[in-house]
């Protein structure tokens, strides 16, 4: 199609009301850019275009969003979620694909979010007496195999180094999947007395788990960034207290920074951390797929590892001439990864791209010049730009992360779409009309376009903008929380639900039941699977009468003791 034909097609679509003038112009600009970039083939593109899910049991191809600008998302979130998710991350400039499957490059926008989480969480744990450290990423096979149940939980995912250059190693070396076995031999060395307790260390590092399932950016990757805390205590009471304190900080990352609601609870015994005593968790929910997601876990390891590695202290209650058996220390481990970024994107993102909560957005406010035409005198244009720079300085002075978009050669429509794609929480528009009226036009990213517009007096900018950013943050959380709550169903009858409890045969039973009822694998937007227990919530709903309420599992004859959150999960 010639450029004249393209322009004609765009004009017809505008006149027929399919796209806005801004979208049409942005699409034209993007086509020119795409033609210029066509010769460059991005690394990892094959993986980026990995098989995507279909829209229904009939095998229909994914439906492109009619009128979508080329720079924007061309599939709807509710139609093809996996493809939507990939496009949002790539076009929102969050990451790029690497040439090793399952590995991804975190670009500045996503690294900024992780850095903000690190600063927030680091301050919390340092108040608890935790200190940061760094251990090697390699672990010997002998040490890794020392704790049998622990390594069995990771055996299929361990990556091994077998050669140093061209020389085969005498003994292969593992790349840490987690650091319990890396660190604990040294805990045994460093802890010689009860006076050395508690020992509280944390690492900010990356680990490798060689997953063979289909990789998903942020959610399931072969290398991922996280923090892992490892602590040793004299008593179980001290360990228990820390487990819950850390879990509350994890909930704070989601709720206070990312505007994502989570449910706090304890994992069932079959879902707890391999080798641990018990596991607590914060569980999220992705409405677009109807699946739960584990957000972060805090484990009490009990004395299992201390017995394996000989981490003991003398009993402080022993009298000078009294001999008592040494005490094995009580240990905890806890970890939060960059998975949090994927959860946030899945929950808040929409068909226009990313939607970032203001507290973690690298750019909170962007100011876009409007009303600048080819006929405008250069002097008037420069005056307008100086006014915008002044607005930017006002906002930066009160701590707002603000950018002004003075890019030449891009239309206003292109800029609007570009910043919306990147999820910037608030856009300010400023042109001759706003200058004359001493106001700015505002556009909230978290609202539909028809509801997003407003005005703000320049004299109130330094207080009104921070207040509006906090309102956006609060509104994002409220909307997500409302969706979460409406999707939690309380059921006591097996026939009322497809997802079920944790026993393997019940997982299979629930998967078969779902497919029998619908005629298609459950569900089409995610791998077919039965339910599993996600957690036993700390905040227990009413409705269970001890000794009276029966277990929902039709193959169980016991009485119910507590509500358990269950469902399909990532």
């Amino acid at each position: 199609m010639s450029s004249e034909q393209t322009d004609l097609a765009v004009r017809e679509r505008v006149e027929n009301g399919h796209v806005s003038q801004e979208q049409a112009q942005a699409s034209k600009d993007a086509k020119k850019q795409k033609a210029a970039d066509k010769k460059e083939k991005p690394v990892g593109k094959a993986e980026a275009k990995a098989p995507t899910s279909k829209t229904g049991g009939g095998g229909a191809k994914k439906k492109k969003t009619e009128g979508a600008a080329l720079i924007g998302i061309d599939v709807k979130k509710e139609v093809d979620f996996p493809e939507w998710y990939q496009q949002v991350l790539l076009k929102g400039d969050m990451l790029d694909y690497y040439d090793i499957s399952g590995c991804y490059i975190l670009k500045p926008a996503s690294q900024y979010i992780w850095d903000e989480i690190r600063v927030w969480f680091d301050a919390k744990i340092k108040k608890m007496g935790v200190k940061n450290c760094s251990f090697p990423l390699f672990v010997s096979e002998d040490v890794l195999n020392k704790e049998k149940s622990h390594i069995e939980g990771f055996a299929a995912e361990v990556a091994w180094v077998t050669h140093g250059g061209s020389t085969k190693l005498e003994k292969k070396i593992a790349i840490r999947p987690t650091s319990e076995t890396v660190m604990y031999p040294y805990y045994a060395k460093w802890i010689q007395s009860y006076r050395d307790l508690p020992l509280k260390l944390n690492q900010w590092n990356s680990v490798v788990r060689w997953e063979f399932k289909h990789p998903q950016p942020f959610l399931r990757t072969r290398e991922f960034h996280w923090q892992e805390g490892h602590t040793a205590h004299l008593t179980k009471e001290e360990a228990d207290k820390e487990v819950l304190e850390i879990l509350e900080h994890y909930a704070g990352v989601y709720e206070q920074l990312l505007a994502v609601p989570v449910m706090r609870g304890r994992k069932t015994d079959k879902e707890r951390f391999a080798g641990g005593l018990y596991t607590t968790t914060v569980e999220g929910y992705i409405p677009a797929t109807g699946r739960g997601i584990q957000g972060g876990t805090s484990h009490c390891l009990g004395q299992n590892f201390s017995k394996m590695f000989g981490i003991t202290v003398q009993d402080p209650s022993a009298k000078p001439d009294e001999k008592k058996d040494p005490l094995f220390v009580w240990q905890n481990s806890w970890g939060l990864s960059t998975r949090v970024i994927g959860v946030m994107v899945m929950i808040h993102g929409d068909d226009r791209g990313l939607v970032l909560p203001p507290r973690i957005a690298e750019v909170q406010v962007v100011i876009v010049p409007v009303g600048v035409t080819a006929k405008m005198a250069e002097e008037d244009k420069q005056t307008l730009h100086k006014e915008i720079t002044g607005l930017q300085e006002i906002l930066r002075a009160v701590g707002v992360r603000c950018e002004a978009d003075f890019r030449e050669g891009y239309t206003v429509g292109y800029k609007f779409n570009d910043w919306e794609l990147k999820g910037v929480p608030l856009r300010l528009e400023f042109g001759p009309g706003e200058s004359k009226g001493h106001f700015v036009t505002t556009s909230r990213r978290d609202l539909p376009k028809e509801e997003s517009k407003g005005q703000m007096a320049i004299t109130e900018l330094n207080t009104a903008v921070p207040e509006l950013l906090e309102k956006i943050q609060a509104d994002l959380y409220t909307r997500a929380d409302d969706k979460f709550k409406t999707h939690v169903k309380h059921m006591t009858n097996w026939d009322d639900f497809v997802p079920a409890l944790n026993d393997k045969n019940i997982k299979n039973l629930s998967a078969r039941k779902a497919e029998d009822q619908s005629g298609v694998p459950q569900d089409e937007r995610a791998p077919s699977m039965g339910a599993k227990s996600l957690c036993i919530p700390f905040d227990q709903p009413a409705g269970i009468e001890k000794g009276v309420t029966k277990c929902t599992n039709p193959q169980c004859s016991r009485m119910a003791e507590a509500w358990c959150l269950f469902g399909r999960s990532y």
Side-chain angles (χ1 to χ4, degrees):
M1 183 181 286
S2 68
S3 60
E4 290 83 0
Q5 288 174 313
T6 301
D7 290 344
L8 178 60
V10 170
R11 285 198 300 272
E12 287 177 346
R13 290 164 72 191
V14 172
E15 290 165 2
N16 290 333
H18 290 304
V19 295
S20 68
Q21 186 68 51
E22 292 170 355
Q23 286 179 310
Q25 185 59 52
S27 182
K28 288 170 63 180
D29 294 344
K31 285 179 181 177
K32 293 178 183 177
Q33 187 65 41
K34 186 177 181 182
D37 295 341
K38 195 172 183 180
K39 293 181 181 179
E40 296 184 14
K41 188 175 181 181
V43 173
K45 194 65 174 179
E47 184 175 307
K49 293 299 180 184
T52 57
S53 64
K54 298 175 182 179
T55 57
K61 294 181 180 179
K62 71 174 185 286
K63 184 178 180 181
K64 298 282 185 177
T65 302
E66 187 176 359
L70 289 182
I71 65 166
I73 311 302
D74 63 11
V75 294
K76 288 185 177 295
K77 184 177 183 179
E78 62 185 19
V79 172
D80 191 341
F81 186 80
E83 176 67 15
W84 170 88
Y85 180 62
Q86 288 190 48
Q87 288 195 26
V88 166
L89 293 176
L90 287 169
K91 295 185 177 184
D93 216 24
M94 294 283 277
L95 59 73
D96 206 344
Y97 287 80
Y98 197 55
D99 64 349
I100 297 175
S101 177
C103 298
Y104 306 90
I105 301 165
L106 270 63
K107 298 184 79 172
S110 57
Q111 184 63 47
Y112 182 89
I113 295 171
W114 184 238
D115 288 345
E116 287 295 289
I117 292 170
R118 175 171 178 166
V119 169
W120 187 91
F121 185 75
D122 222 33
K124 299 291 185 184
I125 61 175
K126 283 178 178 174
K127 287 182 179 179
M128 297 170 58
V130 179
K131 295 183 178 180
N132 286 327
C133 65
S134 183
F135 276 74
L137 67 121
F138 300 117
V139 55
S140 69
E141 184 176 13
D142 291 342
V143 171
L144 189 65
N145 288 331
K146 196 163 186 177
E147 211 297 301
K148 185 179 178 182
S149 63
H150 176 68
I151 188 55
E152 283 179 352
F154 293 102
E157 302 172 358
V158 176
W160 295 95
V161 177
T162 59
H163 287 72
S166 59
T167 305
K168 187 175 181 179
L169 301 179
E170 266 188 47
K171 291 186 176 181
K172 61 183 181 180
I173 299 171
I175 300 175
R176 62 186 173 209
T178 179
S179 295
E180 280 79 3
T181 55
V182 177
M183 300 171 72
Y184 296 168
Y186 296 90
Y187 278 40
K189 177 182 177 182
W190 297 338
I191 297 172
Q192 296 297 315
S193 165
Y194 66 87
R195 296 180 182 87
D196 297 325
L197 297 174
L199 178 61
K200 301 182 179 184
L201 299 181
N202 176 71
Q203 293 192 93
W204 293 91
N205 58 10
S206 67
V207 294
V208 172
R209 297 180 186 175
W210 208 258
E211 296 254 17
F212 288 93
K213 300 174 184 176
H214 181 62
Q216 293 175 289
F218 294 117
L219 301 189
R220 185 183 295 122
T221 63
R222 286 180 171 168
E223 180 187 17
F224 58 86
H225 299 271
W226 73 344
Q227 59 71 215
E228 51 175 321
H230 297 270
T231 62
H233 306 265
L234 182 62
T235 67
K236 183 177 185 295
E237 289 74 22
E238 292 175 15
D240 289 341
K241 179 182 177 183
E242 182 191 79
V243 165
L244 296 181
E245 193 171 357
I246 289 295
L247 192 73
E248 195 58 34
H249 292 330
Y250 286 164
V253 168
Y254 280 99
E255 295 173 347
Q256 297 178 39
L257 299 184
L258 305 177
V260 169
V262 291
M263 186 176 290
R264 303 149 175 83
R266 178 168 170 161
K267 289 287 188 183
T268 61
D269 286 345
K270 290 184 179 180
E271 296 291 338
R272 70 170 181 251
F273 181 67
L277 181 62
Y278 66 86
T279 292
T280 65
T281 179
V282 288
E283 297 286 329
Y285 178 73
I286 311 299
T289 60
R291 298 172 74 180
I293 188 161
Q294 181 177 284
T297 48
S298 181
H299 318 281
C300 179
L301 303 179
Q303 296 173 305
N304 188 31
F305 285 91
S306 63
K307 290 177 180 178
M308 287 290 174
F309 290 93
I311 311 173
T312 63
V313 297
Q314 291 300 317
D315 190 333
S317 67
K319 297 176 182 178
D321 57 347
E322 183 182 10
K323 284 191 176 182
K324 281 192 173 183
D325 291 335
L327 301 177
F328 290 99
V329 303
W330 292 82
Q331 292 178 264
N332 294 335
S333 70
W334 24 274
L336 185 81
S337 77
T338 44
R339 164 178 281 211
V340 299
I341 300 174
V343 175
M344 176 202 69
V345 170
M346 287 181 160
I347 289 177
H348 297 314
D350 62 19
D351 291 340
R352 289 184 281 151
L354 290 167
V355 178
L356 298 179
R359 290 179 187 171
I360 51 81
E362 184 177 21
V363 178
Q364 295 174 310
V365 176
V366 62
I367 309 175
V368 180
V370 296
V372 179
T373 66
K375 295 180 181 180
M376 178 180 276
E378 182 63 26
E379 183 179 350
D380 293 338
K381 180 180 174 182
Q382 291 303 319
T383 298
L384 186 68
H385 282 191
K386 285 181 181 178
E387 288 184 75
I388 290 174
T389 300
L391 300 178
Q392 183 182 27
E393 290 174 354
I394 290 172
L395 294 176
R396 287 182 172 178
V398 293
V400 175
R401 298 186 289 275
C402 177
E403 296 293 336
D405 190 346
F406 294 133
R407 287 180 292 176
E408 298 287 347
Y410 293 90
T411 64
V412 169
Y414 183 96
K415 291 179 179 180
F416 284 2
N417 280 284
D418 188 34
W419 291 109
E420 287 176 358
L421 193 62
K422 293 175 180 176
V424 173
L426 182 62
R427 183 177 74 238
L428 304 183
E429 301 163 21
F430 192 80
E434 283 84 0
S435 177
K436 185 176 180 180
H438 303 289
F439 68 91
V440 295
T441 298
T442 63
S443 180
R444 290 176 54 167
R445 178 62 184 88
D446 65 309
L447 296 177
K449 284 190 174 182
E450 61 273 14
E451 302 173 23
S452 65
K453 293 289 187 178
Q455 290 185 355
M456 189 179 293
I458 291 176
T459 55
E460 300 174 358
L461 213 60
N462 62 338
T463 57
V465 166
E467 288 172 1
L468 183 54
L469 290 174
E470 279 302 301
K471 179 169 176 51
I472 292 171
Q473 181 85 25
D475 288 353
L476 280 170
Y477 179 83
T478 298
R479 285 193 290 271
D481 192 42
D482 288 344
K483 283 186 179 180
F484 193 161
K485 289 175 180 175
T486 58
H487 284 85
V488 176
K489 306 297 181 184
H490 300 91
M491 297 182 180
T492 56
N493 186 341
W494 169 262
D495 292 330
D496 290 339
F497 60 90
V498 173
L501 300 175
N502 188 50
D503 192 273
K504 186 176 181 181
N505 68 321
I506 295 180
K507 285 185 181 181
N508 295 336
L509 178 61
S510 64
R512 289 198 303 272
K513 186 176 180 66
E515 294 172 12
D516 289 344
Q517 288 178 345
S518 66
V520 297
Q522 292 297 305
D523 68 36
E524 280 293 334
R525 291 170 295 178
S528 177
M529 60 185 295
K532 74 171 187 176
S533 63
L534 305 179
C535 73
I536 301 170
F538 292 146
D539 187 9
Q540 282 281 308
I544 291 181
E545 189 176 350
K546 294 289 180 71
V548 176
T549 307
K550 293 186 66 176
C551 177
T552 306
N553 180 359
Q555 298 178 6
C556 177
S557 59
R558 298 172 64 184
M559 295 294 111
E561 296 182 8
W563 288 97
C564 184
L565 179 69
F566 57 88
R568 294 189 179 90
S569 177
Y570 283 93

